[in-house]
Amino acid sequence: MTFRKSHPLIKIVNSTLVDLPSPANLSVNWNYGSLLGLVLVIQLVSGIVLATRFSGHSDISFDSVISIYQDSNYGWLLRLVHSTGASFFFLFIYLHIGRGLYYGSYIYPEVWNIGVLIYLILMGTAFLGYVLPWGQMSYWAATVITNLLSAIPWLGSILVEWVWGGFAVGNPTLTRFFALHYLLPFVVTALVILHIFYLHLYGSSNPLGVSSNTNKVSFHYYYSVKDLYVYFVFFFIFMFFTLKYGYSFMDAENFIPANPLVTPTHIQPEWYFLFAYAILRSIPNKLGGVLGLVLAVMVLFLFSISSTQLLFSGTIYSPLARLTFWSLVSVFFLLTWLGSCPAESPYTEVALASTIAYFSLMV
């Protein structure tokens, strides 16, 4: 028996990255998971280094970000890598979820549900990180989103003040947001390990949607070389966007220090939250909007426990299922665009119709 199979720690890596039996017909769509792991490492490393120079106090938070740009060696690059990495993170998440829906990966409940849980925590982590620079959009995004808790009957106002740490968004809010933003990525890492464990326990799905137990290959060299190739392509594209269009992923309002007395003309989240923001704004009732916002993501849990999966299962063989899937993708893009539009007619009416279509296709 070789060393990689006998050593108690090395054999874990061996069973995960070397001798893992994998379907022989996996396409490039199965690379999104490994790319997410790579981006997670980039975000962890860049975030930890940035945290060594960041000050989580409302009086100097904005200035500390400027100091990272101007006074730290390659601090500007680290900040751009971290902010651009967040956008790529969610891009690959949506591609990963889309691939899972199209090829029926939700037939493995533990793998699917842990993945959805990771997505939920990442949304919270990204929101917390968006608040930290303490610019205009950061401050007002925190104010708007945390105020949604006030829609909860009886406990709403108490929860809002508890989250704020006072009677308005201020230094206690920023301090606890910084602490949580630092902590949650490690929770995500633990869940990713659990996600991979169950994935290897049940095995990967494949483009044909049939059992591949009789036709499997070892992960190394067959897929490890393909992953390395995709990594090189990703690094080229990632650094191109980081260096050429890094500031395009940031809102211009966030380069202005937070001012509680001046409200931005148009408050909106990052692009990866726009679909949920459009659903929130499309429902006139505040509590209904909050429920719509939450259910827009929570509905993904239904795929592993309800008959919804019957509609999508075997998409490759069902024209109706393919039509449903691509209709859902179209509605998602439409909601994302509507989330960036002003909250006025005719956008609100179209957003409401798109919200109804979104939930109709999901359930």
Side-chain angles (χ1 to χ4, degrees), residues 60-124:
I60 56 177
S61 177
F62 187 86
D63 293 332
S64 72
V65 175
I66 301 301
S67 176
I68 289 172
Y69 274 110
Q70 298 179 348
D71 303 329
S72 301
N73 291 329
Y74 298 102
W76 61 272
L77 179 60
L78 273 173
R79 172 78 197 289
L80 288 176
V81 164
H82 197 67
S83 61
T84 308
S87 291
F88 273 87
F89 212 155
F90 279 93
L91 172 64
F92 291 140
I93 283 173
Y94 292 135
L95 291 172
H96 195 56
I97 293 174
R99 191 269 301 164
L101 290 174
Y102 191 84
Y103 292 107
S105 298
Y106 41 76
I107 61 174
Y108 307 117
E110 290 87 356
V111 180
W112 180 261
N113 290 333
I114 293 172
V116 177
L117 182 60
I118 291 171
Y119 174 46
L120 284 169
I121 296 176
L122 281 173
M123 292 183 78

Side-chain angles (χ1 to χ4, degrees), residues 90 93-102 104-121 123 272 275-276 279 291-309 312 325 328-329 332 358-359 361-363:
F90 279 93
I93 283 173
Y94 292 135
L95 291 172
H96 195 56
I97 293 174
R99 191 269 301 164
L101 290 174
Y102 191 84
S105 298
Y106 41 76
I107 61 174
Y108 307 117
E110 290 87 356
V111 180
W112 180 261
N113 290 333
I114 293 172
V116 177
L117 182 60
I118 291 171
Y119 174 46
L120 284 169
I121 296 176
M123 292 183 78
Y272 37 81
F275 83 99
I279 292 174
L291 289 175
L293 173 68
V294 174
L295 292 176
V297 180
M298 299 294 288
V299 71
L300 290 171
F301 283 112
L302 293 179
F303 281 88
S304 63
I305 59 175
S306 73
S307 59
T308 306
Q309 60 179 256
F312 285 91
F325 173 80
L328 179 62
V329 172
F332 178 84
Y358 176 85
F359 285 108
L361 293 167
M362 276 290 198
V363 299

Side-chain angles (χ1 to χ4, degrees), residues 3-13:
F3 175 74
R4 63 186 171 86
K5 294 182 180 179
S6 60
H7 191 277
L9 293 179
I10 300 299
K11 70 179 182 182
I12 297 176
V13 179

Side-chain angles (χ1 to χ4, degrees), residues 135-137 139-141 143-144 253 256-268 277:
Q136 270 288 75
M137 196 58 70
Y139 176 87
W140 287 101
T143 302
V144 170
E253 290 279 354
I256 304 172
N259 185 352
L261 302 179
V262 178
T263 307
T265 54
H266 183 41
I267 300 174
Q268 67 179 57
Y277 188 59

Side-chain angles (χ1 to χ4, degrees), residues 27 29-30 98-105 205-209 315-316:
S27 66
N29 290 317
W30 271 258
R99 191 269 301 164
L101 290 174
Y102 191 84
Y103 292 107
S105 298
S205 58
N206 62 85
L208 294 178
T315 305
I316 191 171

